[in-house]
PDB file of all heavy atoms in Angstrom:
ATOM      1  N   ASP A 196       2.892  15.794   8.871  1.00 96.00           N
ATOM      2  CA  ASP A 196       3.160  14.267   9.019  1.00 96.00           C
ATOM      3  C   ASP A 196       1.998  13.433   8.836  1.00 96.00           C
ATOM      4  O   ASP A 196       2.014  12.392   8.217  1.00 96.00           O
ATOM      5  CB  ASP A 196       3.789  14.111  10.409  1.00 96.00           C
ATOM      6  CG  ASP A 196       5.344  14.640  10.435  1.00 96.00           C
ATOM      7  OD1 ASP A 196       5.831  14.846   9.325  1.00 96.00           O
ATOM      8  OD2 ASP A 196       5.754  14.921  11.574  1.00 96.00           O
ATOM      9  N   ALA A 197       0.830  13.801   9.361  1.00 96.00           N
ATOM     10  CA  ALA A 197      -0.427  13.054   9.276  1.00 96.00           C
ATOM     11  C   ALA A 197      -0.889  12.850   7.847  1.00 96.00           C
ATOM     12  O   ALA A 197      -1.245  11.907   7.357  1.00 96.00           O
ATOM     13  CB  ALA A 197      -1.473  13.490  10.270  1.00 96.00           C
ATOM     14  N   VAL A 198      -0.777  14.074   7.228  1.00 96.00           N
ATOM     15  CA  VAL A 198      -1.222  14.077   5.793  1.00 96.00           C
ATOM     16  C   VAL A 198      -0.284  13.157   4.867  1.00 96.00           C
ATOM     17  O   VAL A 198      -0.768  12.379   4.056  1.00 96.00           O
ATOM     18  CB  VAL A 198      -1.422  15.525   5.229  1.00 96.00           C
ATOM     19  CG1 VAL A 198      -1.509  15.553   3.677  1.00 96.00           C
ATOM     20  CG2 VAL A 198      -2.432  16.321   5.931  1.00 96.00           C
ATOM     21  N   MET A 199       0.913  13.501   5.184  1.00 97.00           N
ATOM     22  CA  MET A 199       2.016  12.599   4.295  1.00 97.00           C
ATOM     23  C   MET A 199       1.853  11.213   4.400  1.00 97.00           C
ATOM     24  O   MET A 199       2.138  10.440   3.640  1.00 97.00           O
ATOM     25  CB  MET A 199       3.394  13.067   4.689  1.00 97.00           C
ATOM     26  CG  MET A 199       3.694  14.539   4.176  1.00 97.00           C
ATOM     27  SD  MET A 199       5.289  15.194   4.742  1.00 97.00           S
ATOM     28  CE  MET A 199       6.413  14.372   3.632  1.00 97.00           C
ATOM     29  N   LEU A 200       1.551  10.767   5.737  1.00 97.00           N
ATOM     30  CA  LEU A 200       1.362   9.417   6.107  1.00 97.00           C
ATOM     31  C   LEU A 200       0.228   8.774   5.190  1.00 97.00           C
ATOM     32  O   LEU A 200       0.319   7.676   4.534  1.00 97.00           O
ATOM     33  CB  LEU A 200       1.042   9.157   7.504  1.00 97.00           C
ATOM     34  CG  LEU A 200       0.690   7.689   7.915  1.00 97.00           C
ATOM     35  CD1 LEU A 200       1.901   6.795   7.772  1.00 97.00           C
ATOM     36  CD2 LEU A 200       0.258   7.708   9.461  1.00 97.00           C
ATOM     37  N   GLN A 201      -0.969   9.465   5.122  1.00 97.00           N
ATOM     38  CA  GLN A 201      -2.002   8.951   4.278  1.00 97.00           C
ATOM     39  C   GLN A 201      -1.744   8.967   2.823  1.00 97.00           C
ATOM     40  O   GLN A 201      -2.038   8.104   2.125  1.00 97.00           O
ATOM     41  CB  GLN A 201      -3.294   9.944   4.574  1.00 97.00           C
ATOM     42  CG  GLN A 201      -3.886   9.872   5.960  1.00 97.00           C
ATOM     43  CD  GLN A 201      -4.343   8.489   6.376  1.00 97.00           C
ATOM     44  OE1 GLN A 201      -4.840   7.620   5.557  1.00 97.00           O
ATOM     45  NE2 GLN A 201      -4.164   8.193   7.576  1.00 97.00           N
ATOM     46  N   LEU A 202      -0.960   9.966   2.315  1.00 97.00           N
ATOM     47  CA  LEU A 202      -0.565  10.077   1.036  1.00 97.00           C
ATOM     48  C   LEU A 202       0.350   8.930   0.586  1.00 97.00           C
ATOM     49  O   LEU A 202       0.343   8.385  -0.426  1.00 97.00           O
ATOM     50  CB  LEU A 202       0.013  11.453   0.652  1.00 97.00           C
ATOM     51  CG  LEU A 202      -0.980  12.534   0.758  1.00 97.00           C
ATOM     52  CD1 LEU A 202      -0.270  13.956   0.306  1.00 97.00           C
ATOM     53  CD2 LEU A 202      -2.104  12.512  -0.211  1.00 97.00           C
ATOM     54  N   THR A 203       1.237   8.722   1.493  1.00 97.00           N
ATOM     55  CA  THR A 203       2.245   7.670   1.234  1.00 97.00           C
ATOM     56  C   THR A 203       1.614   6.274   1.166  1.00 97.00           C
ATOM     57  O   THR A 203       1.960   5.445   0.332  1.00 97.00           O
ATOM     58  CB  THR A 203       3.361   7.606   2.360  1.00 97.00           C
ATOM     59  OG1 THR A 203       4.098   9.037   2.291  1.00 97.00           O
ATOM     60  CG2 THR A 203       4.410   6.579   2.119  1.00 97.00           C
ATOM     61  N   ARG A 204       0.543   6.110   2.116  1.00 97.00           N
ATOM     62  CA  ARG A 204      -0.107   4.810   2.089  1.00 97.00           C
ATOM     63  C   ARG A 204      -0.911   4.701   0.818  1.00 97.00           C
ATOM     64  O   ARG A 204      -1.108   3.634   0.241  1.00 97.00           O
ATOM     65  CB  ARG A 204      -1.111   4.875   3.305  1.00 97.00           C
ATOM     66  CG  ARG A 204      -0.288   4.437   4.594  1.00 97.00           C
ATOM     67  CD  ARG A 204      -1.263   4.508   5.742  1.00 97.00           C
ATOM     68  NE  ARG A 204      -0.512   4.230   7.033  1.00 97.00           N
ATOM     69  CZ  ARG A 204      -1.081   4.267   8.257  1.00 97.00           C
ATOM     70  NH1 ARG A 204      -2.357   4.836   8.383  1.00 97.00           N
ATOM     71  NH2 ARG A 204      -0.409   3.860   9.324  1.00 97.00           N
ATOM     72  N   ALA A 205      -1.563   5.813   0.356  1.00 96.00           N
ATOM     73  CA  ALA A 205      -2.389   5.831  -0.829  1.00 96.00           C
ATOM     74  C   ALA A 205      -1.451   5.304  -1.923  1.00 96.00           C
ATOM     75  O   ALA A 205      -1.794   4.591  -2.981  1.00 96.00           O
ATOM     76  CB  ALA A 205      -2.894   7.184  -1.166  1.00 96.00           C
ATOM     77  N   ARG A 206      -0.268   5.927  -2.118  1.00 96.00           N
ATOM     78  CA  ARG A 206       0.755   5.722  -3.280  1.00 96.00           C
ATOM     79  C   ARG A 206       1.156   4.376  -3.168  1.00 96.00           C
ATOM     80  O   ARG A 206       1.303   3.612  -4.207  1.00 96.00           O
ATOM     81  CB  ARG A 206       1.869   6.610  -3.206  1.00 96.00           C
ATOM     82  CG  ARG A 206       2.871   6.672  -4.280  1.00 96.00           C
ATOM     83  CD  ARG A 206       3.827   7.662  -4.249  1.00 96.00           C
ATOM     84  NE  ARG A 206       4.759   7.547  -3.208  1.00 96.00           N
ATOM     85  CZ  ARG A 206       5.720   8.296  -2.821  1.00 96.00           C
ATOM     86  NH1 ARG A 206       5.915   9.459  -3.697  1.00 96.00           N
ATOM     87  NH2 ARG A 206       6.474   8.169  -1.765  1.00 96.00           N
ATOM     88  N   ASN A 207       1.483   3.851  -1.958  1.00 96.00           N
ATOM     89  CA  ASN A 207       2.006   2.438  -1.819  1.00 96.00           C
ATOM     90  C   ASN A 207       0.941   1.458  -2.190  1.00 96.00           C
ATOM     91  O   ASN A 207       1.212   0.448  -2.786  1.00 96.00           O
ATOM     92  CB  ASN A 207       2.331   2.298  -0.339  1.00 96.00           C
ATOM     93  CG  ASN A 207       3.722   2.882   0.028  1.00 96.00           C
ATOM     94  OD1 ASN A 207       4.440   3.322  -0.864  1.00 96.00           O
ATOM     95  ND2 ASN A 207       3.982   3.107   1.284  1.00 96.00           N
ATOM     96  N   ARG A 208      -0.371   1.711  -2.085  1.00 95.00           N
ATOM     97  CA  ARG A 208      -1.389   0.730  -2.425  1.00 95.00           C
ATOM     98  C   ARG A 208      -1.396   0.572  -4.023  1.00 95.00           C
ATOM     99  O   ARG A 208      -1.735  -0.524  -4.466  1.00 95.00           O
ATOM    100  CB  ARG A 208      -2.824   1.249  -1.920  1.00 95.00           C
ATOM    101  CG  ARG A 208      -3.015   1.040  -0.474  1.00 95.00           C
ATOM    102  CD  ARG A 208      -2.800  -0.449  -0.037  1.00 95.00           C
ATOM    103  NE  ARG A 208      -3.854  -1.373  -0.428  1.00 95.00           N
ATOM    104  CZ  ARG A 208      -3.814  -2.440  -0.997  1.00 95.00           C
ATOM    105  NH1 ARG A 208      -2.642  -2.853  -1.394  1.00 95.00           N
ATOM    106  NH2 ARG A 208      -4.820  -3.153  -1.286  1.00 95.00           N
ATOM    107  N   LEU A 209      -1.059   1.658  -4.686  1.00 96.00           N
ATOM    108  CA  LEU A 209      -1.090   1.607  -6.133  1.00 96.00           C
ATOM    109  C   LEU A 209       0.385   1.060  -6.744  1.00 96.00           C
ATOM    110  O   LEU A 209       0.208   0.396  -7.794  1.00 96.00           O
ATOM    111  CB  LEU A 209      -1.352   2.995  -6.742  1.00 96.00           C
ATOM    112  CG  LEU A 209      -2.712   3.473  -6.459  1.00 96.00           C
ATOM    113  CD1 LEU A 209      -2.865   4.859  -7.094  1.00 96.00           C
ATOM    114  CD2 LEU A 209      -3.841   2.634  -6.846  1.00 96.00           C
ATOM    115  N   THR A 210       1.388   1.304  -5.935  1.00 94.00           N
ATOM    116  CA  THR A 210       2.712   0.831  -6.479  1.00 94.00           C
ATOM    117  C   THR A 210       3.092  -0.560  -5.901  1.00 94.00           C
ATOM    118  O   THR A 210       4.064  -1.049  -6.433  1.00 94.00           O
ATOM    119  CB  THR A 210       3.662   1.860  -6.121  1.00 94.00           C
ATOM    120  OG1 THR A 210       3.855   1.912  -4.602  1.00 94.00           O
ATOM    121  CG2 THR A 210       3.480   3.239  -6.593  1.00 94.00           C
ATOM    122  N   THR A 211       2.441  -1.041  -4.804  1.00 92.00           N
ATOM    123  CA  THR A 211       2.803  -2.313  -4.243  1.00 92.00           C
ATOM    124  C   THR A 211       1.661  -3.274  -4.148  1.00 92.00           C
ATOM    125  O   THR A 211       0.913  -3.224  -3.231  1.00 92.00           O
ATOM    126  CB  THR A 211       3.453  -2.050  -2.834  1.00 92.00           C
ATOM    127  OG1 THR A 211       4.372  -1.044  -3.022  1.00 92.00           O
ATOM    128  CG2 THR A 211       4.080  -3.385  -2.328  1.00 92.00           C
ATOM    129  N   PRO A 212       1.417  -4.157  -5.248  1.00 92.00           N
ATOM    130  CA  PRO A 212       0.311  -5.175  -5.236  1.00 92.00           C
ATOM    131  C   PRO A 212       0.516  -6.090  -4.048  1.00 92.00           C
ATOM    132  O   PRO A 212       1.644  -6.382  -3.516  1.00 92.00           O
ATOM    133  CB  PRO A 212       0.436  -5.807  -6.434  1.00 92.00           C
ATOM    134  CG  PRO A 212       1.293  -4.961  -7.396  1.00 92.00           C
ATOM    135  CD  PRO A 212       2.156  -4.241  -6.532  1.00 92.00           C
ATOM    136  N   ALA A 213      -0.672  -6.569  -3.443  1.00 90.00           N
ATOM    137  CA  ALA A 213      -0.591  -7.572  -2.390  1.00 90.00           C
ATOM    138  C   ALA A 213      -0.002  -8.911  -2.922  1.00 90.00           C
ATOM    139  O   ALA A 213      -0.253  -9.397  -3.895  1.00 90.00           O
ATOM    140  CB  ALA A 213      -2.053  -7.715  -1.911  1.00 90.00           C
ATOM    141  N   SER A 214       0.690  -9.454  -1.977  1.00 91.00           N
ATOM    142  CA  SER A 214       1.365 -10.887  -2.184  1.00 91.00           C
ATOM    143  C   SER A 214       0.202 -11.880  -1.865  1.00 91.00           C
ATOM    144  O   SER A 214      -0.562 -11.693  -0.853  1.00 91.00           O
ATOM    145  CB  SER A 214       2.589 -11.118  -1.369  1.00 91.00           C
ATOM    146  OG  SER A 214       3.557 -10.260  -1.868  1.00 91.00           O
ATOM    147  N   MET A 215       0.023 -12.962  -2.710  1.00 92.00           N
ATOM    148  CA  MET A 215      -0.864 -13.976  -2.346  1.00 92.00           C
ATOM    149  C   MET A 215      -0.181 -15.411  -2.540  1.00 92.00           C
ATOM    150  O   MET A 215       0.688 -15.457  -3.510  1.00 92.00           O
ATOM    151  CB  MET A 215      -2.040 -13.814  -3.340  1.00 92.00           C
ATOM    152  CG  MET A 215      -2.931 -12.618  -2.991  1.00 92.00           C
ATOM    153  SD  MET A 215      -4.372 -12.596  -4.030  1.00 92.00           S
ATOM    154  CE  MET A 215      -5.337 -13.870  -3.268  1.00 92.00           C
ATOM    155  N   THR A 216      -0.565 -16.400  -1.818  1.00 93.00           N
ATOM    156  CA  THR A 216      -0.225 -17.734  -2.052  1.00 93.00           C
ATOM    157  C   THR A 216      -0.894 -18.313  -3.265  1.00 93.00           C
ATOM    158  O   THR A 216      -2.014 -17.757  -3.542  1.00 93.00           O
ATOM    159  CB  THR A 216      -0.246 -18.568  -0.891  1.00 93.00           C
ATOM    160  OG1 THR A 216      -1.516 -18.747  -0.513  1.00 93.00           O
ATOM    161  CG2 THR A 216       0.574 -18.024   0.341  1.00 93.00           C
ATOM    162  N   LEU A 217      -0.418 -19.356  -3.797  1.00 92.00           N
ATOM    163  CA  LEU A 217      -1.202 -19.935  -4.895  1.00 92.00           C
ATOM    164  C   LEU A 217      -2.498 -20.648  -4.377  1.00 92.00           C
ATOM    165  O   LEU A 217      -3.439 -20.448  -5.153  1.00 92.00           O
ATOM    166  CB  LEU A 217      -0.298 -21.105  -5.646  1.00 92.00           C
ATOM    167  CG  LEU A 217       0.761 -20.358  -6.528  1.00 92.00           C
ATOM    168  CD1 LEU A 217       1.873 -21.468  -6.949  1.00 92.00           C
ATOM    169  CD2 LEU A 217       0.233 -19.641  -7.644  1.00 92.00           C
ATOM    170  N   PRO A 218      -2.522 -21.300  -3.210  1.00 93.00           N
ATOM    171  CA  PRO A 218      -3.713 -21.796  -2.757  1.00 93.00           C
ATOM    172  C   PRO A 218      -4.759 -20.605  -2.499  1.00 93.00           C
ATOM    173  O   PRO A 218      -5.995 -20.787  -2.734  1.00 93.00           O
ATOM    174  CB  PRO A 218      -3.378 -22.488  -1.322  1.00 93.00           C
ATOM    175  CG  PRO A 218      -1.938 -22.823  -1.577  1.00 93.00           C
ATOM    176  CD  PRO A 218      -1.339 -21.795  -2.360  1.00 93.00           C
ATOM    177  N   GLU A 219      -4.358 -19.465  -2.050  1.00 92.00           N
ATOM    178  CA  GLU A 219      -5.118 -18.233  -1.843  1.00 92.00           C
ATOM    179  C   GLU A 219      -5.815 -17.978  -3.103  1.00 92.00           C
ATOM    180  O   GLU A 219      -6.972 -17.587  -3.287  1.00 92.00           O
ATOM    181  CB  GLU A 219      -4.504 -17.099  -1.281  1.00 92.00           C
ATOM    182  CG  GLU A 219      -4.159 -17.341   0.378  1.00 92.00           C
ATOM    183  CD  GLU A 219      -3.301 -16.370   0.791  1.00 92.00           C
ATOM    184  OE1 GLU A 219      -2.527 -15.583   0.142  1.00 92.00           O
ATOM    185  OE2 GLU A 219      -3.202 -16.168   2.124  1.00 92.00           O
TER     186      GLU A 219
END
C-alpha cells in the first residue's frame, strides 16, 4: 500500500498538470 501510494502520486504528477489562475 505504501509503495502503491508513491507510484500513484508519481503517475498523477505526470498525468494531472497543476491548475493556475491567470494572475499567477
Side-chain angles (χ1 to χ4, degrees):
D196 286 341
V198 171
M199 291 175 78
L200 177 63
Q201 295 302 326
L202 294 177
T203 301
R204 286 175 174 172
R206 185 174 62 183
N207 288 347
R208 286 302 284 130
L209 298 181
T210 60
T211 312
S214 295
M215 294 183 72
T216 65
L217 289 165
E219 286 171 343

